[in-house]
Amino acid sequence: MRWTRAAGRGLLVAVLLLVGSVASGVPGDGPRSAGRGPVTLATAGDLTGYLGPLLDDWNRERPAEKVTLVELPDSADETRAQMITDLRSGAGGRFDILNIDVAWTSEFAAAGWIAPLERDRFALDDFLPPVVDTATYEGRLYAVPYVTNAGMLFYREDLLVAEGERPPRTWAELERQARTIAPKYGVGGYAGQFLPYEGLTVNATEAIYSAGGAVLGDEGGRVAVDSAAARSGVAFLGRGVRDGWIPREALTYKEEESRQAFQDGRLLFLRNWPYAWAGASGSDSKVAGRFGAVPLPGPDGPGTSVLGGANLAVSSRTRHAETARDLLAYLTSDAVQRRVLTEGALPPVRAALYEDASLLRRFPYLPALRESVLAARPRPKSPQYEQVSLAVQAVMHDAMAQRQSSEAAVRRLAAELDAIARRG
């Protein structure tokens, strides 16, 4: 799924990049042919232009194993639909490697569209630990993390300093500052991505996780959302709209609308992905040099973000499995991961890069992002993830729009998720 554009287009690319690989006699049960040869990498649009040079370097070194780039539509839904159509086709399929949103791993693995991978083939011990969990299903590795992401709290440093305040570390501090400081300066208190789409699923899940709750358990086999913790998370966001420290306009925000509101100086706090740093630092930003970013707050301390990003998976029907797996190793190597950050502005999966002095000078938010990623959790794992997400979006938007209480919303969500699990 694609959550960014313009300055944040690197994240879009990361989320929707597609690549290809392994064929199997039984889908998802290993390669039918461990051959070498040309492979196809499909992407939803390399809008930052960083990917082409990476593949050019590969192609110069391996002319007999050339990677062909295929760009799919920008829309995450359209990209996913084209991927699935290709994977379900009776022919061999066009794509060898799939760069899938981290939330799609379980669905694609359960359907047998992607093949399991050998853990020792990749330097997983060098990755940030939480990102590896997004690439597994039922205890097996089905993809290799390529880029990661975690939500962060952007804040107006100048306004907090003027009031003798520090960035909030708890919900209570955020709520108080949003209610009392923001009105003094004629700005909104807090916003996230609250339009009913995947971004709202992420924001709602972060609130539930931060409160100590869960949405699903047992790889989607158990509904876990009907809890006091989940009700607390839902109530926190609903209360913000009811009491006015979340502007009602925020119910129409996706990533870009919320980023624009913050860099136009219309918000005190914003939950967004780190890509928003570049836009807020730009020459046309009204808050350039006057803002900061910290991990999301929770009820009693630091909160829990949802992991974003993309994983590279190998198609179950590729004829050139060895080449495909080598390409995954290449794209997740230390040198290439460095270029993914410096040329594509995408958060890398290798832990050491977050402590590199030269990178810290260029990307000062890396320490806070690392802290956020290390505390983050994957979105609910489910072979029916799309239906799960749609249910969360619909219920959460009603709760925030004050059409349903948090108690009723959680009961309704539990019932809808239970129906989805039974259908699955």
Side-chain angles (χ1 to χ4, degrees):
M1 78 203 42
R2 175 162 296 214
W3 295 337
T4 61
R5 194 165 21 191
R9 284 174 176 169
L11 174 58
L12 259 58
V13 176
V15 170
L16 296 175
L17 177 69
L18 309 174
V19 199
S21 99
V22 188
S24 63
V26 178
D29 196 36
R32 179 176 62 226
S33 169
R36 292 191 174 277
V39 292
T40 299
L41 183 159
T43 176
D46 182 14
L47 301 179
T48 62
Y50 86 100
L51 185 57
L54 295 181
L55 300 181
D56 288 344
D57 290 349
W58 167 280
N59 289 338
R60 276 192 296 271
E61 293 291 326
R62 302 187 184 214
E65 299 175 271
K66 181 180 179 180
V67 181
T68 299
L69 184 67
V70 175
E71 298 198 33
L72 299 179
D74 288 348
S75 163
D77 291 341
E78 291 181 41
T79 293
R80 178 178 170 276
Q82 288 198 22
M83 292 171 61
I84 292 175
T85 297
D86 183 76
L87 291 164
R88 285 174 170 167
S89 68
R94 291 185 299 152
F95 310 142
D96 295 295
I97 305 167
L98 310 170
N99 185 349
I100 56 178
D101 183 280
V102 293
W104 301 348
T105 304
S106 296
E107 176 188 7
F108 281 44
W113 295 331
I114 56 178
L117 300 170
E118 308 91 340
R119 286 179 174 266
D120 58 5
R121 182 80 176 255
F122 309 98
L124 300 181
D125 290 344
D126 295 332
F127 293 3
L128 293 166
V131 306
V132 178
D133 190 32
T134 69
T136 66
Y137 178 66
E138 293 188 339
R140 302 187 73 180
L141 185 72
Y142 278 90
V144 180
Y146 176 48
V147 293
T148 190
N149 236 328
M152 302 176 70
L153 182 71
F154 291 81
Y155 64 94
R156 285 288 300 276
E157 185 174 29
D158 57 337
L159 302 187
L160 292 187
V161 169
E163 297 296 321
E165 298 271 9
R166 64 176 187 177
R169 291 183 57 84
T170 67
W171 282 352
E173 290 178 357
L174 185 150
E175 184 172 347
R176 175 181 59 78
Q177 292 174 347
R179 280 190 298 101
T180 61
I181 297 175
K184 289 185 181 181
Y185 297 91
V187 300
Y190 173 75
Q193 295 71 53
F194 301 141
L195 185 76
Y197 78 115
E198 182 64 21
L200 180 53
T201 299
V202 167
N203 279 249
T205 303
E206 287 175 337
I208 292 171
Y209 284 172
S210 294
V215 178
L216 297 173
D218 300 334
E219 304 279 344
R222 176 174 56 86
V223 176
V225 76
D226 193 0
S227 68
R231 288 188 284 275
S232 174
V234 173
F236 168 68
L237 293 176
R239 185 170 66 249
V241 179
R242 184 196 68 197
D243 294 349
W245 50 270
I246 293 179
R248 290 195 69 88
E249 182 183 1
L251 298 181
T252 68
Y253 285 172
K254 296 171 77 172
E255 272 79 8
E256 279 297 277
E257 292 85 355
S258 62
R259 177 189 64 82
Q260 195 66 53
F262 183 77
Q263 74 179 57
D264 285 348
R266 292 186 278 124
L267 289 171
L268 178 62
F269 298 116
L270 169 67
R271 179 266 173 224
N272 210 330
W273 307 100
Y275 92 92
W277 184 282
S281 301
S283 59
D284 61 343
S285 171
K286 296 182 179 179
V287 301
R290 296 189 289 149
F291 73 94
V294 293
L296 297 175
D300 303 308
T304 303
S305 173
V306 160
L307 284 166
N311 295 332
L312 297 172
V314 173
S315 166
S316 296
R317 293 183 298 164
T318 184
R319 293 178 299 167
H320 299 143
E322 283 298 311
T323 297
R325 291 193 289 262
D326 282 353
L327 182 61
L328 267 61
Y330 165 76
L331 289 172
T332 56
S333 65
D334 184 82
V336 172
Q337 283 285 294
R338 182 179 296 270
R339 293 177 64 184
V340 164
L341 175 61
T342 58
E343 299 173 22
L346 308 177
V349 296
R350 286 187 168 256
L353 298 179
Y354 288 80
E355 299 175 351
D356 185 288
S358 63
L359 295 177
L360 289 173
R361 286 192 291 271
R362 292 185 57 182
F363 305 97
Y365 57 82
L366 285 179
L369 175 57
R370 178 181 181 275
E371 184 179 344
S372 297
V373 171
L374 290 177
R377 293 168 56 188
R379 274 166 280 170
K381 290 187 177 184
S382 171
Q384 294 84 36
Y385 178 77
E386 183 181 24
Q387 289 85 359
V388 169
S389 180
L390 289 172
V392 174
Q393 296 165 31
V395 171
M396 195 66 202
H397 200 260
D398 280 349
M400 294 189 70
Q402 310 302 298
R403 292 189 287 266
Q404 201 165 31
S405 70
S406 58
E407 293 275 347
V410 170
R411 288 196 302 270
R412 173 185 157 201
L413 180 57
E416 294 193 14
L417 294 179
D418 185 62
I420 291 168
R422 288 200 307 271
R423 289 198 301 271

